[in-house]
């Protein structure tokens, strides 16, 4: 943040501060990338859609965030006008925040934490009990909603 503030002041320290800021930016993007790909690697066997989504969100972030420094250089070098800079920031803000949010919220599983081994075991036990009860004719599965585990309801004869 401090080097960004210094870089925003047009003076002799502008470009050295920009280089320092870019060093931290590259380090941050590398750290985020390693973290995202480690997380996606853990998910690839159990939740492949979520793993792909994590990688796609990382690449969207990497590309959109990387264009901010390009815009800064173009503006500081007077290669584009202030109007073009404002439009560029508006587009980048929309992509880096709006599109990111839409992609994140498009799959509800991105917001749900990964179930623990104990929760998965309990779910499997409940499914086995429900299947036994259904085979005995005591219960019937309720309609499935959004890919979740079906709830079982008491079966009764309708007139």
């Amino acid at each position: 943040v401090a080097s960004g503030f210094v870089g925003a002041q047009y003076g002799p320290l502008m470009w050295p501060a920009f280089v320092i800021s870019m060093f931290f930016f590259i380090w941050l993007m590398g750290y985020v990338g390693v973290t995202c790909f480690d997380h996606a690697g853990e998910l690839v066997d159990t939740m492949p859609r979520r793993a792909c989504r994590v990688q796609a969100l990382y690449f969207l972030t990497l590309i959109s965030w990387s264009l901010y420094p390009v815009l800064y250089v173009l503006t500081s070098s007077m290669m584009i006008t202030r109007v073009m800079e404002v439009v560029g920031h508006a587009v980048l803000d929309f992509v880096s925040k709006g599109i990111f949010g839409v992609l994140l919220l498009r799959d509800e599983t991105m917001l749900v934490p990964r179930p623990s081994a104990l929760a998965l075991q309990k779910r499997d036990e409940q499914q086995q009990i429900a299947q036994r009860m259904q085979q005995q004719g005591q219960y019937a599965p309720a309609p499935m909603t959004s890919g979740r585990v079906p709830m079982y309801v008491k079966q009764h004869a309708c007139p």
Side-chain angles (χ1 to χ4, degrees):
V1 173
S3 62
F5 176 76
V6 172
Q9 313 303 312
Y10 292 98
L13 296 178
M14 182 175 98
W15 293 112
F18 176 77
V19 170
I20 292 170
S21 295
M22 287 306 299
F23 170 78
F24 287 112
F25 173 75
I26 291 168
W27 176 83
L28 176 68
M29 292 311 297
Y31 179 78
V32 171
V34 168
T35 303
C36 286
F37 280 96
D38 284 349
H39 183 62
E42 294 171 4
L43 297 174
V44 76
D45 293 330
T46 57
M47 299 178 184
R49 284 185 62 203
R50 186 185 283 193
C52 290
R53 186 65 49 89
V54 167
Q55 292 173 347
L57 289 172
Y58 169 70
F59 283 119
L60 175 67
T61 302
L62 176 66
I63 292 167
S64 62
W65 284 16
S66 295
L67 292 176
Y68 281 102
V70 171
L71 192 61
Y72 174 78
V73 169
L74 292 175
T75 304
S76 298
S77 302
M78 297 185 190
M79 298 177 82
I80 62 173
T81 65
R82 290 289 179 185
V83 172
M84 294 170 79
E85 176 191 19
V86 170
V87 171
H89 275 110
V91 170
L92 287 175
D93 286 346
F94 176 74
V95 170
S96 66
K97 296 173 182 82
I99 303 293
F100 181 92
V102 168
L103 288 175
L104 181 65
L105 295 176
R106 191 171 135 207
D107 184 2
E108 70 180 27
T109 64
M110 291 296 290
L111 303 176
V112 178
R114 193 174 49 202
S116 66
L118 183 61
L120 291 173
Q121 180 183 3
K122 185 175 180 179
R123 182 196 67 192
D124 291 343
E125 290 171 1
Q126 290 174 343
Q127 286 179 336
Q128 290 171 358
I129 292 169
Q131 287 172 352
R132 280 196 307 268
M133 294 177 85
Q134 183 181 10
Q135 290 170 352
Q136 296 171 359
Q138 297 175 353
Y139 287 85
M144 298 261 312
T145 57
S146 67
R148 293 195 175 114
V149 177
M151 298 293 295
Y152 285 81
V153 295
K154 181 83 170 149
Q155 188 176 23
H156 63 280
C158 296

